[in-house]
Amino acid sequence: MTPLILPLVLAAALLGAPSVRAADVRLPPFEAVDIDATPVSGDELGQGGNWLLAVIDGGLPSARRFLDALGSKNERFGSNVVILVVGSAEQVNALRHAYPDLGQVRWLRSQNPALLGQLGLTGVPARIALHADGRIASRRAGLGRTPDEVARQVRAWTGSIGSVTNDDAR
């Protein structure tokens, strides 16, 4: 009878312990600036629906490869896609002007070298899919298997506001 008491006590303790579900993980606080150099905090970024934070390093070639992949299907995205560039204002402006066909994406910048760690990222480029309340739905690092995969994942989470037409390219 005594051998049964210990497992019962352990089971009761485990059942009473609070648990944190993966769906309750939230975007940690961080600071950045927008293209007008206005400070923005991470908790201000919820757009009233699903949104995505893409983090790139403005000084690495992978930033352009990621943005090429994001635009590979000629999709235009809304302001619920936030591109956070770790780098200088010049790097952000160069990327922003090189990729106008991405649509109404929101561009942010940070020069904080600790930002990746704050966001729980191990590398860039990275995508963090978020619910409106800041709960993280998924985190993905890297470029993906194909360029189409990046655009498809972003579109599936955030939707798109249309596509680039030949008239737009003129």
Side-chain angles (χ1 to χ4, degrees), residues 87-159:
S88 68
E90 293 79 20
Q91 289 170 325
V92 173
N93 286 329
L95 291 170
R96 193 169 60 88
H97 292 298
Y99 295 93
D101 290 341
L102 290 178
Q104 300 168 357
V105 297
R106 185 168 181 190
W107 293 86
L108 300 179
R109 169 179 64 87
S110 175
Q111 291 184 283
N112 179 357
L115 179 67
L116 296 181
Q118 289 173 351
L119 295 175
L121 300 173
T122 57
V124 289
R127 303 174 296 290
I128 304 174
L130 296 121
H131 297 282
D133 63 1
R135 287 179 298 124
I136 295 174
S138 70
R139 275 184 238 235
R140 295 179 187 259
L143 292 167
R145 290 179 289 233
T146 66
D148 292 350
E149 180 182 5
V150 171
R152 192 172 50 251
Q153 288 170 350
V154 173
R155 182 181 59 247
W157 186 252
T158 64

